[in-house]
């Protein structure tokens, strides 16, 4: 990942202003420690902090068209850049950067080219002919982008809030799948797939079509000129990413430079479910496995730094970001700059345990749509910012545009959890890779129960966070929370503790409004809490709050009564551990 900052239409274009832009851009240097760039045209500034992944030697930014009248600063990867170049043969390219196609596509197609890009990206493009500009963000919001407005009439864009919050009167999270045009004077959607309307699809389930779409998504993300690996938690999503990457690595360009043995990474408290499961998968796939440990105290000590980097006070995001933040530091110390991760699967397939209570296929599908639309506020934000804090890029094949189109067109009846038929959460994904002739994974990994990353690293992690918060937030503080924090009022001591840290770094009202709120159980949306009356009395984002569903559900919930435990639906490890781990690849 890189860091971008653009300031357009400011009144002051003095040397002092240039120095200020450079100073603010430095706040993003953790995202791109390899090089810095700044282009100034009259009262417009485009700055860039580069993490070199493709074409490290010549792809410094900002990037230009032939005569440098079109300037672009980009954060992201364009996986189909070679195919796009084939249709731009009349253009002269200066670099091997995958992002340079953006400047030339604009020359050919004007503002209507964004849908041609296959990748993850946020960019700002300046046309110096008329000083017009556009900004755009990828379909799901894998890469972060914020937009702000200065008192002098300037418009700002930045990869992270910290680069513009001090200088903008108001700012927002730039919506995924949108483009801003200075000519048209506002935001408009460029991404409008069929599933976005939440209409119920009817395409029959074809396991081979689903499998092939995912394999293509993984292979695309092997495009790199630097060392890379996979994040392996040992659950379904991360294990499938690792399995597919292992199968195709030898034929990729990266194998010629870095070898054909895949590196895998996992973190957890000693004895945690993830570490055991990940080790087993790594042994099965014969990856070069790196196992990292952290203690609860080390995680607590990192909380302030984590919240500064991920720019949220959402409880589940902070719980999961902390171990990912610590792991990313270890990964970078090994010289690795890119990892492939498993975010998005649970949203697409209804993998969270609360989906066991979905009353019908209509509500099931609509909840998956809501979850995907909100990913940029939760898992995408976590995966991007927790890794970028240490100059590591995370790629997410489950959020490939074409794969999402295939998966979200399937009749949701096939995604419904039906234990009496042996269909557990994400059964259609598990079944697609259940190949007896050439097994991708051992059966008990393929059918491991869902475990959220913040749980899978060790249950005592969340318990330790709650205990720590209780020591610093008194009953009186929580009782008066609505007066201190009237917007998105924290309802637990843990939430209050995180909010206080967030407000220290980002005190403006606009900052707190970039963070979502509302009740949640086991990562559900507020709407899905209505599926079970007992959940409203046990609101917690941990998977263990899925009462009567999770093997280690919170014991103190008295009304977890009407769903039998699902252990008979899963194959169990010899030590009794059951579960599927969330996203870290």
């Amino acid at each position: 990942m890189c860091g971008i900052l653009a300031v357009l239409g400011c009144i002051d274009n003095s040397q002092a202003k240039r120095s200020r832009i450079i100073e603010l851009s430095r706040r993003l240097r953790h995202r791109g420690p390899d090089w810095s760039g700044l282009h100034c045209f009259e009262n417009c500034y485009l700055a860039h902090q580069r993490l070199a992944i493709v074409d490290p030697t010549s792809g410094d930014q900002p990037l230009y068209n032939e005569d440098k009248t079109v300037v672009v600063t980009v954060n992201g990867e364009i996986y189909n850049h070679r195919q796009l170049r084939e249709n731009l043969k009349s253009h002269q390219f200066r670099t091997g950067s995958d992002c340079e196609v953006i400047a030339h596509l604009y020359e050919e197609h004007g503002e209507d080219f964004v849908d041609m890009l296959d990748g993850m990206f946020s960019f700002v493009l300046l046309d110096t002919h008329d000083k017009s500009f556009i900004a755009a963000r990828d379909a799901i919001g894998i890469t972060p982008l914020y937009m702000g407005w200065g008192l002098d009439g300037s418009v700002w864009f930045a990869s992270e809030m910290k680069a513009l919050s001090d200088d903008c009167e108001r700012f927002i999270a730039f919506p995924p799948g949108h483009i801003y045009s200075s000519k048209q004077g506002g935001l408009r959607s460029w991404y409008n797939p069929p599933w976005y309307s939440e209409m119920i699809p009817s395409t029959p389930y074809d396991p081979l079509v689903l499998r092939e779409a995912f394999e293509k998504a993984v292979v695309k993300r092997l495009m790199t000129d630097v060392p890379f690996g996979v994040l392996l938690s040992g659950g379904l999503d991360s294990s499938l990413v690792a399995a597919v990457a292992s199968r195709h690595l030898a034929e990729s360009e990266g194998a010629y430079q870095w070898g054909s043995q895949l590196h895998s990474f996992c973190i957890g408290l000693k004895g945690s479910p993830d570490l055991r499961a990940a080790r087993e998968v790594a042994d099965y796939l014969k990856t070069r496995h790196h196992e990292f440990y952290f203690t609860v105290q080390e995680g607590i000590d990192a909380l302030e730094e984590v919240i500064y980097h991920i720019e949220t006070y959402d409880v589940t995001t902070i719980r999961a970001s902390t171990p990912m933040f610590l792991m990313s530091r270890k990964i970078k110390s090994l010289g690795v700059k890119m990892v492939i991760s498993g975010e998005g699967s649970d949203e697409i397939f209804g993998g969270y345990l609360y989906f066991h209570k979905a009353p019908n296929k209509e509500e099931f599908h609509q909840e998956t749509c809501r979850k995907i639309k909100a990913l940029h506020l939760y898992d995408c934000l976590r995966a991007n910012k927790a890794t970028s804090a240490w100059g590591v890029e995370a790629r997410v094949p489950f959020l490939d545009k074409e794969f999402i189109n295939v998966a979200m067109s399937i009749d949701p009846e096939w995604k419904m959890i039906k234990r009496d038929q042996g269909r557990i959460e994400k059964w259609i994904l598990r079944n697609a890779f259940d190949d007896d002739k050439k097994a991708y994974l051992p059966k008990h990994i393929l059918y491991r129960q869902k475990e959220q990353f913040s749980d899978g690293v060790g249950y005592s992690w969340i318990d330790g966070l709650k205990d720590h918060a209780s020591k610093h937030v008194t009953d009186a503080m929580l009782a008066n929370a609505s007066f201190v924090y009237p917007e998105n009022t924290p309802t637990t001591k843990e939430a209050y503790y995180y909010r206080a840290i967030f407000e220290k770094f980002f005190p403006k009202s606009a900052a707190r409004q970039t963070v979502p709120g509302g009740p949640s159980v086991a990562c559900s949306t507020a709407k899905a809490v209505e599926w079970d009356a007992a959940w409203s009395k046990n609101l917690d984002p941990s998977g263990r709050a899925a009462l009567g569903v999770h093997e280690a559900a919170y014991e103190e919930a008295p009304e977890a009564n009407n769903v039998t435990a699902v252990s008979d639906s899963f194959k169990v490890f010899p030590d009794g551990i059951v579960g599927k781990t969330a996203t870290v690849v």
Side-chain angles (χ1 to χ4, degrees):
M1 284 293 103
C2 302
I4 65 173
L5 172 65
V7 185
L8 303 127
C10 53
I11 293 174
D12 181 9
N13 62 352
S14 65
Q15 180 59 42
K17 186 66 173 183
R18 182 185 180 95
S19 297
R20 177 61 175 165
I21 301 297
I22 292 171
E23 177 188 351
L24 294 173
S25 181
R26 282 198 201 106
R27 297 183 184 181
L28 303 173
R29 186 163 292 174
H30 53 276
R31 298 183 62 85
D34 296 336
W35 198 251
S36 303
L38 175 64
H39 180 90
C40 175
F41 178 76
E42 296 180 4
N43 60 351
C44 298
Y45 300 84
L46 275 69
H48 191 266
Q49 301 289 342
R50 188 184 186 205
L51 179 67
I53 302 291
V54 175
D55 186 27
T57 56
S58 70
D60 294 339
Q61 295 195 38
L63 296 162
Y64 306 90
N65 66 337
E66 291 86 345
D67 61 4
K68 293 194 173 184
T69 55
V70 175
V71 192
V72 63
T73 181
V74 190
N75 168 35
E77 303 292 342
I78 309 301
Y79 302 121
N80 64 335
H81 73 106
R82 289 195 178 99
Q83 298 94 305
L84 292 171
R85 283 180 184 235
E86 285 297 309
N87 297 320
L88 294 166
K89 288 186 175 179
S90 63
H91 291 259
Q92 180 181 352
F93 285 80
R94 298 170 179 272
T95 75
S97 169
D98 53 295
C99 296
E100 190 179 349
V101 294
I102 292 174
H104 300 289
L105 286 170
Y106 173 79
E107 285 188 292
E108 286 287 326
H109 304 282
E111 297 180 353
D112 299 321
F113 69 88
V114 182
D115 195 36
M116 301 177 189
L117 302 175
D118 182 5
M120 55 178 183
F121 54 83
S122 296
F123 69 82
V124 180
L125 181 149
L126 173 65
D127 186 339
T128 63
H129 292 105
D130 56 6
K131 289 177 62 175
S132 64
F133 59 89
I134 59 173
R137 190 178 183 187
D138 66 65
I140 306 300
I142 301 167
T143 60
L145 187 65
Y146 294 84
M147 180 179 184
W149 295 267
L151 286 173
D152 62 352
S154 56
V155 182
W156 295 57
F157 301 94
S159 294
E160 294 184 6
M161 190 162 55
K162 58 183 65 67
L164 53 69
S165 58
D166 289 346
D167 291 55
C168 289
E169 186 67 14
R170 181 172 174 262
F171 48 90
I172 61 170
F174 195 98
H178 279 69
I179 180 172
Y180 177 86
S181 166
S182 65
K183 288 180 180 178
Q184 299 191 20
L187 287 157
R188 69 180 187 274
S189 173
W190 65 263
Y191 179 61
N192 299 288
W195 66 266
Y196 216 81
S197 68
E198 302 186 11
M199 295 290 289
I200 310 305
S202 58
T203 303
Y205 166 54
D206 186 329
L208 288 180
V209 170
L210 189 65
R211 182 201 295 183
E212 289 171 5
F214 183 65
E215 291 200 296
K216 287 179 182 177
V218 174
V219 170
K220 285 179 197 176
R221 285 154 180 83
L222 298 177
M223 178 186 81
T224 178
D225 293 324
V226 299
F228 73 100
V230 296
L231 303 183
L232 179 62
S233 65
L236 176 67
D237 306 333
S238 63
S239 299
L240 284 179
V241 173
V244 174
S246 293
R247 288 197 178 195
H248 294 278
L249 179 59
E251 63 207 48
S252 72
E253 293 181 8
Y256 293 109
Q257 297 184 70
W258 312 110
S260 57
Q261 185 180 25
L262 186 67
H263 287 254
S264 57
F265 309 96
C266 185
I267 192 168
L269 305 177
K270 287 194 175 180
S272 69
D274 279 8
L275 292 177
R276 286 193 290 270
R279 170 60 65 182
E280 184 176 9
V281 175
D283 289 345
Y284 179 80
L285 297 176
K286 296 181 172 56
T287 68
R288 178 128 183 222
H289 192 57
H290 307 267
E291 198 170 88
F292 306 126
Y293 309 99
F294 78 105
T295 65
V296 172
Q297 188 58 54
E298 286 171 335
I300 288 171
D301 290 343
L303 280 174
E304 288 210 8
E305 197 173 3
V306 168
I307 292 171
Y308 171 75
H309 277 288
I310 65 173
E311 302 179 323
T312 188
Y313 49 83
D314 176 70
V315 170
T316 189
T317 303
I318 293 168
R319 288 175 176 179
S321 292
T322 305
M324 199 170 194
F325 173 86
L326 296 172
M327 175 170 57
S328 298
R329 187 176 189 181
K330 291 281 192 179
I331 290 171
K332 188 59 181 285
S333 73
L334 297 175
V336 172
K337 296 172 73 173
M338 187 272 281
V339 292
I340 310 178
S341 189
E343 280 75 13
S345 173
D346 293 313
E347 288 74 12
I348 294 168
F349 295 105
Y352 293 107
L353 296 185
Y354 72 88
F355 276 94
H356 281 251
K357 298 287 190 77
N360 52 58
K361 73 176 187 179
E362 290 78 13
E363 291 208 35
F364 189 107
H365 179 72
Q366 289 162 1
E367 175 71 359
T368 60
C369 293
R370 289 190 293 265
K371 290 291 292 180
I372 297 171
K373 291 175 185 179
L375 266 169
H376 67 290
L377 301 170
Y378 297 103
D379 283 15
C380 287
L381 178 148
R382 167 183 55 77
N384 184 281
K385 292 183 180 178
T387 54
S388 294
W390 298 106
V392 176
E393 174 176 288
R395 298 180 178 178
V396 283
F398 280 109
L399 297 181
D400 179 85
K401 271 199 306 183
E402 289 305 312
F403 178 74
I404 292 176
N405 287 342
V406 169
M408 292 301 289
S409 69
I410 298 170
D411 186 336
E413 184 67 29
W414 287 97
K415 297 181 183 179
M416 290 285 287
I417 298 159
K418 298 184 177 182
R419 293 189 304 278
D420 58 335
Q421 298 178 26
R423 280 163 48 180
I424 61 175
E425 69 271 357
K426 292 192 288 194
W427 176 83
I428 65 170
L429 181 62
R430 302 174 195 270
N431 180 68
F433 286 90
D434 195 348
D435 187 338
D436 290 330
K437 293 181 181 178
K438 193 175 181 182
Y440 285 78
L441 293 168
K443 293 272 189 182
H444 59 277
I445 294 292
L446 198 59
Y447 291 94
R448 185 186 178 204
Q449 188 188 46
K450 164 71 189 170
E451 193 83 85
Q452 285 162 218
F453 182 42
S454 52
D455 287 331
V457 296
Y459 294 145
S460 58
W461 166 235
I462 291 177
D463 297 336
L465 288 173
K466 292 180 176 181
D467 291 344
H468 178 74
S470 293
K471 295 174 183 175
H472 290 81
V473 180
T474 66
D475 293 341
M477 291 164 70
L478 187 60
N480 291 319
S482 62
F483 300 104
V484 179
Y485 303 119
E487 299 172 281
N488 264 356
T489 303
T491 58
T492 67
K493 291 184 176 181
E494 185 185 6
Y496 192 108
Y497 182 73
Y498 300 154
R499 181 64 170 274
I501 296 172
F502 177 89
E503 296 274 345
K504 181 172 68 174
F505 293 125
F506 308 105
K508 288 188 176 180
S509 175
R512 68 184 70 104
Q513 290 173 12
T514 65
V515 182
S520 175
V521 61
C523 287
S524 74
T525 67
K527 177 67 176 173
V529 173
E530 300 171 7
W531 292 350
D532 190 315
W535 287 349
S536 63
K537 301 175 182 178
N538 198 61
L539 296 173
D540 190 285
S542 168
R544 289 184 289 163
L547 305 178
V549 176
H550 195 290
E551 286 289 302
Y554 293 137
E555 296 177 359
E556 63 269 24
E559 295 189 45
N561 52 9
N562 55 358
V563 178
T564 57
V566 294
S567 57
D568 59 338
S569 298
F570 298 93
K571 302 205 175 181
V572 184
F573 295 131
D575 58 5
I577 295 294
V578 192
K580 183 258 142 208
T581 301
T583 147
V584 265
V585 81

